[in-house]
Amino acid sequence: MTRSEAVQDLIDLLETEAETDRNPEDTPDIGIIMGSDSDLDTMYGAYEALSELGFEEVTDYDDPPESRFTFETFVVSAHRTPELMYAYGETARERGLDVIIAGAGGKSADLPNMTASIAYPVPVVGVPVQEKSVDSVIGMPTGAPIVAVDAGKSFNAALSAAQILSRAHSELEARLDEYHDALQDGVGEVSRELHEQGTELFRANRD
Ligand code: RP5
């Protein structure tokens, strides 16, 4: 049992939520966790991607935002707050989370892989916060799966999480289609400009 009151309060919050009977539409769909608040700048890409897809952040379980699709964000350290990591993973399914995005840095980036084991079968998308964290995030034994993105690619982690969620929600699938169409438009428009202006003029106009 942790001796930290601040950590115990968080564990109590998660366990109480797991026992609370809420409308599934009012609970967060995606959980974002990171090993330290120093990871936040890297993990901010997940926030940006989910916001772009119309997700809103839950900061008070009793007063969820209007949006149908929501997420929550916590700092959970695998090595400094293992009890919190367990509570997060163990309550994930009961709290209604469909996917967890977990980021950690350093050479022992164990939060994503341990959360994947504890929260199973809720899928975890791991984000190595640094290049040196890649091996410890993706290195899972057979039978203990994790989905992972390249170092720092938290934006893609959120897109993957939304893709997983979208299999049960056609509305979200449509938003992912719109996002992809906009990407295609961008490439198509720049390709036409390059072709029609020619290389020299295009380069000059771009500077
Ligand atoms: C930092 O410590 C990393 O960015 C990592 O996410 C964080 C937490 O590591 P542990 O407290 O789990 O060791 O170096």
Side-chain angles (χ1 to χ4, degrees):
M1 184 63 83
T2 178
R3 287 184 297 275
S4 160
E5 200 176 317
V7 168
Q8 189 59 53
D9 282 351
L10 284 171
I11 293 171
D12 292 345
L13 172 72
L14 296 172
E15 290 178 346
T16 301
E17 268 308 295
E19 287 161 14
T20 303
D21 190 21
R22 295 195 191 273
N23 180 345
E25 296 198 359
D26 293 337
T27 60
D29 304 290
I30 295 177
I32 300 176
I33 52 174
M34 61 200 82
S36 163
D37 65 317
S38 64
D39 299 331
L40 189 55
D41 286 349
T42 302
M43 295 303 290
Y44 189 66
Y47 173 90
E48 290 181 303
L50 293 180
S51 298
E52 192 157 338
L53 292 171
F55 284 72
E56 286 186 277
E57 187 168 9
V58 176
T59 56
D60 178 351
Y61 294 126
D62 291 324
D63 185 22
E66 291 288 304
S67 175
R68 168 60 192 88
F69 299 107
T70 58
F71 63 97
E72 62 174 18
T73 315
F74 286 99
V75 168
V76 178
S77 162
H79 304 114
R80 290 170 292 154
T81 63
E83 292 101 333
L84 179 58
M85 176 181 66
Y86 267 91
Y88 195 88
E90 280 178 344
T91 61
R93 186 169 14 177
E94 284 76 18
R95 294 192 303 107
L97 294 180
D98 289 307
V99 193
I100 296 169
I101 298 168
K107 281 176 102 173
S108 301
D110 293 319
L111 179 67
N113 60 55
M114 285 307 298
T115 302
S117 292
I118 300 163
Y120 182 91
V122 176
V124 171
V125 185
V127 182
V129 166
Q130 297 162 315
E131 248 350 292
K132 63 184 174 187
S133 323
V134 172
D135 284 352
S136 61
V137 170
I138 66 175
M140 295 285 274
T142 300
I146 190 167
V147 178
V149 294
D150 201 0
K153 299 287 188 189
S154 63
F155 193 97
N156 280 357
L159 288 179
S160 297
Q163 282 180 277
I164 294 167
L165 199 56
S166 76
R167 304 314 298 148
H169 300 280
S170 56
E171 181 191 341
L172 189 52
E173 199 169 51
R175 292 186 201 175
L176 284 165
D177 279 338
E178 275 172 36
Y179 172 76
H180 200 249
D181 288 350
L183 285 187
Q184 292 212 16
D185 280 346
V187 176
E189 282 159 18
V190 83
S191 179
R192 177 170 285 275
E193 281 171 26
L194 171 60
H195 172 70
E196 291 181 350
Q197 292 175 15
T199 300
E200 287 292 7
L201 185 58
F202 180 85
R203 285 191 79 214
N205 285 342
R206 209 176 45 165
D207 294 339

